[in-house]
Structures are given as C-alpha cells and as structure tokens.
C-alpha cells in the first residue's frame, strides 16, 4: 500500500498519515482548498480530503499512467495520461471528458486566460478553449 503523509511545513514533523490502496504515485500533488489530488502508475486518480484526513475518492477506471501533475480549477481537474488523453474530472471524482492527443501526455496542464495548454510526446503543444 501507499501512504499519504501530511507534514508541518515549519517543523518538518509528521502531522498525520493515511494508508491508500494506490500503486506507485507518479505525479506531484495538486492542492485546492481541502482536496489533494495525485495520479498513479496504474491509471487511477486519487483525492484526499485533508481537513477530514481521509480518502475522498479514487477514479473508477484505468486511464493509463498519470505522470504529469493535475491542474485544478474551482470546478475541474485536468490531467494527461500515458494513453494519449487529457482527462477532465470534477471535484467529486466524476469523469467528465477526455480529449485525445497524438501521443503520451507527461506534462502538467496549465491554464492561462481561460485556455488550457499541455505538451505531448508527439512534439506538439495543445490548446483547449472554453
């Protein structure tokens, strides 16, 4: 099992931890309010409720490994997969959409001026608009 740790930034002491059934955690954590989201090698996205110190949800399907970090907005979570898709989830863990790209997506998506950008192993930079 994997372990999610919470550390005190000032003292570097462990505050709490929870065990998860996650495989190898492959992305960095993105944090919005009390939701910490990260991806794993076997293609599941996990969310931890940091206020309640518990697993909030995990994605139900295997979408291919997530190596880039999630990008979070007030209503959505965006993350690219090694199966050439950018996936969109809501904060409750429901899969909303997938956009196909021309190769593996290992980059972290970024939002600028209501547009989402991500790089792909096909050598292209992709832009999605609202």
């Amino acid at each position: 099992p994997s372990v999610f740790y919470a550390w005190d930034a000032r003292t570097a002491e462990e505050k709490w931890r929870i065990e998860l059934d996650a495989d190898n955690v492959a992305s960095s954590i993105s944090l919005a309010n009390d939701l910490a989201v990260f991806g794993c090698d076997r293609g599941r996205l996990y969310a931890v409720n940091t206020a309640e110190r518990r697993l909030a949800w995990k994605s139900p399907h295997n979408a291919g490994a997530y190596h880039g970090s999630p990008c979070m907005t007030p209503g959505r979570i965006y993350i690219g997969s090694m199966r050439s898709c950018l996936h969109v989830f809501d904060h409750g863990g429901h899969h909303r959409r997938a956009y196909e790209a021309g190769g593996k997506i290992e980059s972290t998506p970024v939002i600028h001026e209501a547009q989402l950008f991500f790089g792909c192993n096909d050598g292209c930079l992709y832009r999605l608009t609202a």
Side-chain angles (χ1 to χ4, degrees):
S2 296
V3 179
F4 182 92
Y5 294 93
W7 298 84
D8 186 302
R10 286 170 276 144
T11 65
E13 293 181 14
E14 182 182 320
K15 292 172 65 175
W16 54 271
R17 70 170 83 179
I18 58 172
E19 285 193 19
L20 303 170
D21 67 348
D23 54 86
N24 184 42
V25 176
S27 78
S28 297
I29 293 169
S30 290
L31 184 64
N33 299 317
D34 295 330
L35 196 64
V37 179
F38 55 93
C40 294
D41 266 345
R42 290 193 187 138
R44 288 189 186 262
L45 195 64
Y46 285 78
V48 171
N49 182 315
T50 59
E52 298 176 7
R53 301 178 182 184
R54 65 170 180 81
L55 177 68
W57 52 264
K58 66 181 177 181
S59 62
H61 68 289
N62 181 340
Y66 293 121
H67 288 180
S69 299
C71 172
M72 296 176 69
T73 64
R76 296 287 185 254
I77 301 164
Y78 303 91
I79 189 166
S81 79
M82 298 299 284
R83 288 195 184 151
S84 307
C85 285
L86 181 87
H87 294 276
V88 183
F89 294 85
D90 64 23
H91 283 224
H94 302 100
H95 190 261
R96 295 298 179 192
R97 186 165 215 172
Y99 297 94
E100 286 192 44
K104 298 174 183 177
I105 304 169
E106 296 182 85
S107 67
T108 298
V110 65
I111 294 179
H112 179 70
E113 296 181 359
Q115 300 176 92
L116 184 127
F117 297 89
F118 63 94
C120 181
N121 285 358
D122 65 357
C124 295
L125 176 67
Y126 287 78
R127 179 186 70 162
L128 302 177
T129 58

